[in-house]
């Protein structure tokens, strides 16, 4: 099983939102401020242009500009993982090469979506990206969105490639994750906040969290307590974060929408719609309760 020292991209990673201006344009100044704030509050890795970062509705040029701006803001203090996933292998390869040139430390590559390729094609897709750059890959397994999971047997084969380093796991299959971790050196990052602590306890490397946009210190504290040997404290802190996790990720609105509502980080791009007043009020109430409980 992997140990907690196998953390190629950090341990407490935020899946960062992409701020926009009121007119809907990329707000690079806000992105710099937000990234610097996340690092100051305990994030030791940032994932840019993932789903939380609204990658389906940002242009390739905007993705590169965002990466360069965040690199400028945080310097070399934390790894930056660039989301380069698409349903088109050629496009994904091009995005990967552009991200490497812009200073990414790693690449988040999701399973091609909608077309539902068979496992041999999924494997070939990831290998094409791995061969196209010189930086490490974090494979994103989220079958609920893509329609296709990365089967454990496929992960075992992909783990043999020297640049396939990690998995962002949203498969909701802890048994499969345990089996793969036991047989490979892949670093497993939880992509589902409610499973951050369980996966970490099984040998995971950490998490990639949307909720960390709003509560980076509180999300990291759970892992800090576990690493200190305080499992009871980790469970207690995990329980304190649960209402916010539920409100942001399981209340019917995408995490991007709820995170931006809490942070006043500008609009979301269509087809997403902003949270209404009632939803925003409920989010703030839960958020303020967490802040008070962890002050």
């Amino acid at each position: 099983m992997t140990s907690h020292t196998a953390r190629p991209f950090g341990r407490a990673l935020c899946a960062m939102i992409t701020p926009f201006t009121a007119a809907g344009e990329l707000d690079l100044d806000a992105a710099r401020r937000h990234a610097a704030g996340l690092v100051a509050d305990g994030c030791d890795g940032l994932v840019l242009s993932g789903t939380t970062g609204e990658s389906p509705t940002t242009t390739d040029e905007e993705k590169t500009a965002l990466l360069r701006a965040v690199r400028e803001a945080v310097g070399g203090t934390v790894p930056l993982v660039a989301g380069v996933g698409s349903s088109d292998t050629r496009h994904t390869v091009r995005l990967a090469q552009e991200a490497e040139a812009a200073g990414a430390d790693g690449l988040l590559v999701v399973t091609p979506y909608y077309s539902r390729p068979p496992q041999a094609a999924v494997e070939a897709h990831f290998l094409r990206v791995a061969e196209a750059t010189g930086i490490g890959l974090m494979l994103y397994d989220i079958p609920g969105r893509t329609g296709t999971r990365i089967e454990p047997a496929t992960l075992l084969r992909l783990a043999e490639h020297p640049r396939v380093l990690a998995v962002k796991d949203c498969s909701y299959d802890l048994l499969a994750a345990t089996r793969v971790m036991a047989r490979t050196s892949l670093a497993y990052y939880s992509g589902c906040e409610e499973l951050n602590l369980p996966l970490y306890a099984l040998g995971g490397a950490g998490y990639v969290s949307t909720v960390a946009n709003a509560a980076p210190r509180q999300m990291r504290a759970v892992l800090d307590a576990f690493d200190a040997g305080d499992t009871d404290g980790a469970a207690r802190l995990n329980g304190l974060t649960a209402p916010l996790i539920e409100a942001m990720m399981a209340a019917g609105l995408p995490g991007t929408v709820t995170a931006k509502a809490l942070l006043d980080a500008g609009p979301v791009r269509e087809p997403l719609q902003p949270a209404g007043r009632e939803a925003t009020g409920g989010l703030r109430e839960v958020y303020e309760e967490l802040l008070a409980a962890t002050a």
Side-chain angles (χ1 to χ4, degrees):
M1 184 177 296
T2 56
S3 71
H4 289 316
T5 58
R7 299 168 179 156
F9 303 116
R11 180 186 62 152
L13 282 70
C14 179
M16 202 179 102
I17 59 168
T18 299
F20 298 129
T21 66
E25 300 301 319
L26 192 63
D27 190 340
L28 294 179
D29 287 339
R32 293 185 186 96
R33 291 193 299 271
H34 185 49
L38 291 171
V39 173
D41 281 339
C43 293
D44 56 12
L46 300 175
V47 175
L48 308 177
S49 296
T51 309
T52 302
E54 299 180 72
S55 60
T57 52
T58 57
T59 67
D60 294 0
E61 293 75 18
E62 286 175 325
K63 290 176 174 65
T64 297
L66 176 68
L67 176 56
R68 292 188 187 279
V70 171
R71 175 58 78 200
E72 177 185 340
V74 303
T77 57
V78 299
L80 299 184
V81 179
V84 299
S86 79
S87 56
D88 176 353
T89 300
R90 290 181 300 174
H91 188 201
T92 301
V93 166
R94 186 169 69 251
L95 286 172
Q97 293 169 335
E98 291 172 356
E100 181 180 28
D105 299 294
L107 304 168
L108 178 68
V109 190
V110 73
T111 316
Y113 40 84
Y114 189 76
S115 56
R116 302 185 68 178
Q119 289 298 298
V122 169
E123 182 177 351
H125 174 84
F126 289 131
L127 290 175
R128 279 280 307 278
V129 182
E131 288 296 319
T133 73
I135 55 179
L137 270 61
M138 179 188 291
L139 309 182
Y140 190 5
D141 188 15
I142 183 166
R145 289 191 182 226
T146 65
T148 305
R149 75 174 296 181
I150 312 173
E151 295 290 347
T154 304
L155 285 168
L156 293 177
R157 291 191 298 271
L158 287 166
E160 298 175 3
H161 195 285
R163 284 188 292 280
V164 176
L165 304 181
V167 177
K168 180 183 176 183
D169 183 36
C170 289
S171 68
Y172 285 95
D173 190 344
L174 288 176
L175 179 57
T178 301
R179 287 166 51 205
V180 174
M181 286 190 290
R183 296 179 58 186
T184 74
S185 61
L186 287 173
Y188 260 70
Y189 291 88
S190 172
C192 307
E193 281 88 350
E194 65 270 34
L195 295 183
N196 285 0
L197 181 56
L199 185 59
Y200 197 62
L202 291 170
Y207 58 72
V208 176
S209 171
T210 296
V211 175
N213 280 283
R217 180 172 56 84
Q218 290 81 1
M219 299 302 291
R220 176 172 176 150
V222 176
L223 303 192
D224 287 345
F226 188 89
D227 279 349
D230 183 7
T231 54
D232 288 343
R236 180 183 63 82
L237 292 168
N238 189 64
L240 291 177
T241 65
L244 182 62
I245 291 170
E246 184 174 12
M248 288 185 65
M249 306 302 293
L253 292 174
T256 304
V257 172
T258 55
K260 284 194 164 182
L262 275 177
L263 298 171
D264 295 322
V268 290
R269 283 186 176 169
E270 293 180 324
L272 296 180
Q273 295 290 324
R277 181 177 300 177
E278 182 177 351
T280 300
L283 283 166
R284 292 196 182 281
E285 181 178 351
V286 173
Y287 181 52
E288 288 168 6
E289 288 175 357
L290 175 62
L291 294 182
T294 57

